[in-house]
Amino acid sequence: MTVYNISTYIKTKTDPKYIVYEMELYKIDDKDNKVYALKSTGKQNLQADKRTLVHSSLDISDPENTSYILELNLFHKIGNDEYEVLPEPMTAIIPLKGFLITDKKWGPSREFEYNETTEKTQKGHVFIYSVKVTFKSRAFEAKEHPVGDPHDPFSKEKIDESLKLRLAKEKIDEGLKSRLAKEKVDEDLVKMEFPNQQQAMLCGPAAFFYCLLVDRPDLYKQMVKELWESGKTKIGTLKLEPSYDCRHPKKFFYYDNTLGYTTRIPAIDWITLASLRDTENVFFDFDSPDDQIPGITPAGDLKTWFKKAGSEILYEINTNIINQVTGPKLTLKDLCRLNSYVRKDTHVVMLITSRMFDTRVSIPTKNHWIVWADKLKLINGYEVTEQTLLTELVELECFSWGSVDNHLLDNTTLADVIKYSYAAFVISKIP
């Protein structure tokens, strides 16, 4: 158990003697309840150095790389009165370790920045002071349909709606279902339960954000919010800061026979998946869902993302760059070892050829990352073992292309799975 000293800095040009804050630190559990590390501090005066007071946390048993959400609400003090100035509290992600050391890489995902202007007017003999707060504009815009265009895919309303669907634990409510029906949009295509790269080469980032969404939906939501607002975010020491071209993608739309004129990838997934891939690309900008080579994720990159976010690598096979390019396929023994790691507190991430799922892929290449959602089993439900015949039919429930399902083709044998599996690693859940 550890008690942390919680404080933060507010970047502002306003005289701190006029600022009052209220702060809390929490994470959200699977029942949408706040689990506090620091309960509300109540209203406190900001110090002259623009820092909050130091507040002692509760006794915390979580590992120090566990990420929490730091929430800060601000009030403007005029005389003896205090006025709330923010439409909603400011929030940022910070690992507990960020309160133990001064290294900025462990600090909050973004600065708490507050800017205001005060206008003085006179009504008769009475002076009236109006405080106006300024906010940053959004960071993402499609070149085909910019801000104000009715087809703008990155509007706040559309991103908020996508988040609601992505985080929903229940079915879509009847009102939304009715509206979607009127727009002739299929509910299953819109619900978007999980990250979906669709036509983009982003299965590696999709695997990462799937695990984050499953493990810490509160952090997933916060990262989407921060990227949309400022084009920057961070979890643990994993920093996302996509380029201008990535934040203003081209060739973002196409015509689909079912959906009509639509995006090549859901906007919420471009914001997250493309931002991660583009940030990590050294030589290429990832600026369109059409981009191919810049989107391919080496195993080393994917492992690093998870480790920076706080996960531990528990087991790996064929993940070095030489093996990934030219190395052997997984064996039955390897698959059984992976089976032994399937638990509620782990993720099994595997590199395959998409030929395993799609007969239209004529040349099997190492091109697709998936995340196991269950053990590799026989179609009768029994677990595959080292004694299982290679001719036995099998099933594998896994995350791929936006859904969790048994994506294996009908009549897939154990030999087929071995034939199309190349590398894998096991991680602990993102804390």
Side-chain angles (χ1 to χ4, degrees):
M1 303 287 282
T2 305
V3 174
Y4 295 85
N5 293 322
I6 311 300
S7 68
T8 193
Y9 174 80
I10 299 177
K11 183 179 180 181
T12 181
K13 295 179 180 179
T14 302
D15 190 328
K17 70 181 180 182
Y18 296 117
I19 297 179
V20 173
Y21 71 88
E22 189 172 6
M23 184 169 64
E24 55 188 44
L25 183 69
Y26 59 85
K27 59 182 181 179
I28 306 293
D29 66 17
D30 57 4
K31 296 181 181 178
D32 288 332
N33 297 315
K34 288 184 178 180
V35 179
Y36 287 99
L38 174 69
K39 292 186 177 181
S40 175
T41 59
K43 293 180 180 179
Q44 305 290 337
N45 293 320
L46 191 65
Q47 298 185 99
D49 61 358
K50 301 178 183 179
R51 294 197 65 86
T52 66
L53 298 169
V54 176
H55 302 274
S56 297
S57 75
L58 303 172
D59 271 345
I60 306 299
S61 60
D62 288 332
E64 63 184 30
N65 61 354
T66 302
S67 290
Y68 276 71
I69 294 175
L70 185 62
E71 180 176 299
L72 197 67
N73 203 4
L74 297 182
F75 305 83
H76 188 97
K77 182 162 55 175
I78 301 177
N80 294 323
D81 297 321
E82 298 160 353
Y83 299 92
E84 194 169 1
V85 293
L86 303 176
E88 61 181 25
M90 297 187 289
T91 51
I93 301 169
I94 183 168
L96 293 173
K97 189 173 182 178
F99 298 110
L100 296 176
I101 60 176
T102 57
D103 190 339
K104 287 186 177 181
K105 74 177 184 179
W106 289 99
S109 56
R110 59 177 174 178
E111 291 181 313
F112 289 116
E113 188 171 355
Y114 172 70
N115 294 299
E116 67 174 37
T117 57
T118 303
E119 294 184 357
K120 179 181 178 181
T121 58
Q122 186 173 356
K123 189 174 182 180
H125 297 291
V126 178
F127 290 104
I128 300 173
Y129 295 86
S130 299
V131 177
K132 294 186 177 181
V133 182
T134 56
F135 300 95
K136 291 183 178 180
S137 60
R138 56 182 253 190
F140 284 79
E141 183 175 23
K143 291 183 177 180
E144 294 117 303
H145 298 287
V147 176
D149 189 305
H151 293 290
D152 173 13
F154 296 109
S155 70
K156 186 178 189 304
E157 294 75 19
K158 290 180 181 177
I159 298 304
D160 285 347
E161 189 172 276
S162 295
L163 263 176
K164 178 181 177 183
L165 298 173
R166 187 61 56 83
L167 298 171
K169 292 182 172 61
E170 305 293 337
K171 292 254 182 200
I172 298 175
D173 63 73
E174 292 302 317
L176 179 55
K177 192 180 295 184
S178 174
R179 184 177 65 73
L180 296 176
K182 288 179 182 179
E183 295 178 4
K184 297 181 179 179
V185 179
D186 185 85
E187 175 186 337
D188 291 334
L189 293 174
V190 178
K191 189 175 181 184
M192 301 187 302
E193 289 182 303
F194 300 111
N196 190 350
Q197 77 267 23
Q198 287 186 201
Q199 299 187 20
M201 293 287 288
L202 291 168
C203 56
F208 174 84
F209 275 102
Y210 163 76
C211 294
L212 178 65
L213 179 63
V214 170
D215 298 345
R216 293 295 305 274
D218 55 338
L219 301 185
Y220 177 89
K221 178 181 179 180
Q222 183 68 22
M223 292 185 78
V224 171
K225 177 182 178 181
E226 293 183 15
L227 283 167
W228 185 87
E229 290 176 352
S230 65
K232 300 177 184 179
T233 191
K234 187 165 69 72
I235 176 174
T237 60
L238 178 62
K239 186 177 182 181
L240 277 66
E241 190 171 352
S243 65
Y244 176 90
D245 288 341
C246 181
R247 291 184 285 107
H248 297 78
K250 59 187 180 182
K251 299 179 182 178
F252 200 69
F253 289 78
Y254 78 113
Y255 186 83
D256 180 89
N257 290 332
T258 302
L259 296 175
Y261 188 59
T262 188
T263 59
R264 296 180 184 274
I265 179 174
I268 190 174
D269 292 320
W270 182 263
I271 288 173
T272 49
L273 312 188
S275 291
L276 178 53
R277 182 65 274 171
D278 183 73
T279 301
E280 294 294 305
N281 279 344
V282 178
F283 301 109
F284 304 96
D285 278 346
F286 198 71
D287 60 2
S288 170
D290 279 349
D291 286 349
Q292 297 297 308
I293 296 300
I296 296 172
T297 306
D301 285 1
L302 193 49
K303 289 192 302 175
T304 297
W305 299 345
F306 280 111
K307 287 191 288 186
K308 286 184 175 182
S311 294
E312 296 181 16
I313 307 297
L314 305 177
Y315 173 71
E316 57 185 300
I317 181 70
N318 294 349
T319 58
N320 67 59
I321 191 63
I322 295 176
N323 278 346
Q324 189 174 341
V325 174
T326 63
K329 297 170 183 176
L330 298 186
T331 65
L332 175 57
K333 184 177 181 179
D334 294 330
L335 293 174
C336 292
R337 182 73 181 272
L338 294 176
N339 257 357
S340 71
Y341 279 101
V342 176
R343 305 190 301 263
K344 289 184 177 181
D345 60 345
T346 63
H347 294 293
V348 175
V349 185
M350 187 164 76
L351 178 64
I352 65 168
T353 170
S354 51
R355 176 67 178 79
M356 185 187 288
F357 299 159
D358 190 346
T359 56
R360 292 173 296 178
V361 179
S362 56
I363 302 175
T365 57
K366 306 169 185 178
N367 63 357
H368 192 52
W369 289 101
I370 65 173
V371 183
W372 290 22
D374 200 355
K375 295 186 176 185
L376 178 62
K377 297 178 179 179
L378 302 174
I379 58 172
N380 62 11
Y382 287 102
E383 183 179 335
V384 167
T385 70
E386 291 187 49
Q387 286 70 47
T388 302
L389 298 177
L390 298 184
T391 54
E392 290 278 10
L393 300 181
V394 294
E395 61 184 18
L396 178 62
E397 188 173 319
C398 62
F399 163 75
S400 175
W401 280 306
S403 68
V404 174
D405 204 348
N406 173 30
H407 290 280
L408 297 180
L409 298 170
D410 291 341
N411 299 316
T412 294
T413 65
L414 180 55
D416 293 328
V417 174
I418 293 173
K419 180 180 179 181
Y420 296 135
S421 302
Y422 298 100
F425 59 90
V426 181
I427 55 166
S428 61
K429 288 202 167 187
I430 298 172

